[in-house]
Amino acid sequence: EAQVTQNPRYLITVTGKKLTVTCSQNMNHEYMSWYRQDPGLGLRQIYYSMNVEVTDKGDVPEGYKVSRKEKRNFPLILESPSPNQTSLYFCASSFIGSGYTFGSGTRLTVV
Amino acid sequence: GESVGLHLPTLSVQEGDNSIINCAYSNSASDYFIWYKQESGKGPQFIIDIRSNMDKRQGQRVTVLLNKTVKHLSLQIAATQPGDSAVYFCAEIVQGGKLIFGQGTELSVKP
């Protein structure tokens, strides 16, 4: 089944403790992206990647890192999480110029 | 700047009625638009798309209309069902494949 898989689905962590949210897609998509979704602010892009070893900042990249060592994987790294990064995170992938397929989301709480 | 917005944040309809969800966009260079449906606790799901060389596209119970003159997009859902209750987002693909989302309209279907 064609899908985008994120893990974990839920995560509660403490301020400053590094964490990684994994994202994997099995559709051979070139384009992958991370979004965060917050009430009243909608979906905002954090980082995106147009292919292996090519990443770029989205609209809200501060406090996040990404890597794209393989085409299928696009992990989101929070080196020192803070409470303002409490949010619902979505990974998405697509062929460039096409509609995105989204993962099921990761609900992160930073206390 | 680039923005895609929705006219109404909430819409309540009676089961069996038709629903119309509206969207305004500001980037006249965009040539590809998508409607997504997001149910509670899930990631956005592709509903229907339309390219700028079209005015109308129909799917199963859904129709998207594009008016490039006034930069307006609408989603029509025929015979709305309780399972249609969700948040609906319009989105546009801009240069480089980035997807920009509107804020979303919450559709509630009354039995």
Side-chain angles (χ1 to χ4, degrees), chain B residues 42-55:
Chain B
K42 297 183 179 179
Q45 292 176 282
F46 173 94
I47 302 173
I48 193 168
D49 59 359
I50 189 168
R51 300 234 174 236
S52 61
N53 61 352
M54 302 172 71
D55 297 320

Side-chain angles (χ1 to χ4, degrees), chain A residues 9 31 35 37 40-43 45 50 58-59 88 90 96-104, chain B residues 32 34 36 38 41-46 49 51 87 89 93 96-103:
Chain A
R9 288 294 310 277
Y31 191 97
Y35 285 81
Q37 186 174 33
L41 297 175
L43 284 148
Q45 190 180 52
M50 297 187 77
D59 300 314
L88 179 58
F90 289 102
I96 292 176
S98 297
Y100 293 8
T101 300
F102 283 84
S104 299
Chain B
Y32 182 44
I34 305 168
Y36 283 91
Q38 187 177 21
K42 297 183 179 179
Q45 292 176 282
F46 173 94
D49 59 359
R51 300 234 174 236
V87 177
F89 295 93
I93 299 267
K98 179 179 178 179
L99 197 66
I100 296 179
F101 285 90
Q103 289 297 308

Side-chain angles (χ1 to χ4, degrees), chain B residues 25 66-72:
Chain B
Y25 64 94
L66 176 62
N67 185 330
K68 295 180 286 295
T69 303
V70 295
K71 291 186 279 189
H72 184 268

Side-chain angles (χ1 to χ4, degrees), chain A residues 18-31:
Chain A
K18 180 179 178 180
L19 67 91
T20 299
V21 185
T22 64
C23 175
S24 180
Q25 51 95 4
N26 62 1
M27 295 164 281
N28 202 35
H29 286 163
E30 304 98 354
Y31 191 97

Side-chain angles (χ1 to χ4, degrees), chain B residues 89-108:
Chain B
F89 295 93
C90 65
E92 62 179 322
I93 299 267
V94 297
Q95 188 179 9
K98 179 179 178 179
L99 197 66
I100 296 179
F101 285 90
Q103 289 297 308
T105 292
E106 183 172 10
L107 175 66
S108 295

